Amino acid sequence: MIVVNVKENESIEKALKRFKKKFDKTGVIRELRSRQHFEKPSVSRRTEVIKAAYKQRMQEQEGK
């Protein structure tokens, strides 16, 4: 369970923003979406490899 303490003189918007940030870090929505449909292990491995290649390409471009 996520707990966000609202400090004195803090707006609700800021507290809500902190809650949303903590909620995103937990990865609940990402996991929920991934469980919507079954993905074969070979497909998931392939997507991981593609993502890793993309990240590596982006890091190489950043280093130039």
Side-chain angles (χ1 to χ4, degrees):
M1 182 161 73
I2 300 173
V3 177
V4 176
N5 295 325
V6 181
K7 301 171 187 168
E8 281 189 40
N9 300 327
E10 183 182 27
S11 66
I12 298 298
E13 287 81 21
K14 279 197 173 189
L16 186 62
K17 189 174 182 179
R18 285 194 295 128
F19 172 78
K20 287 181 181 179
K21 193 179 244 185
K22 281 186 177 183
F23 186 74
D24 285 342
K25 282 186 179 180
T26 60
V28 173
I29 298 293
R30 195 175 335 118
E31 184 177 342
L32 182 70
R33 287 185 180 149
S34 70
R35 289 178 183 235
Q36 291 286 328
H37 61 280
F38 178 75
E39 188 175 76
K40 290 179 8 181
S42 61
V43 174
S44 61
R45 276 195 306 269
R46 190 179 328 132
T47 55
E48 283 183 28
V49 168
I50 291 171
K51 284 181 184 180
Y54 174 77
K55 282 183 181 180
Q56 189 173 12
R57 232 182 298 121
M58 294 304 289
Q59 286 180 347
E60 287 174 1
Q61 285 180 353
E62 200 175 86
K64 288 184 179 179

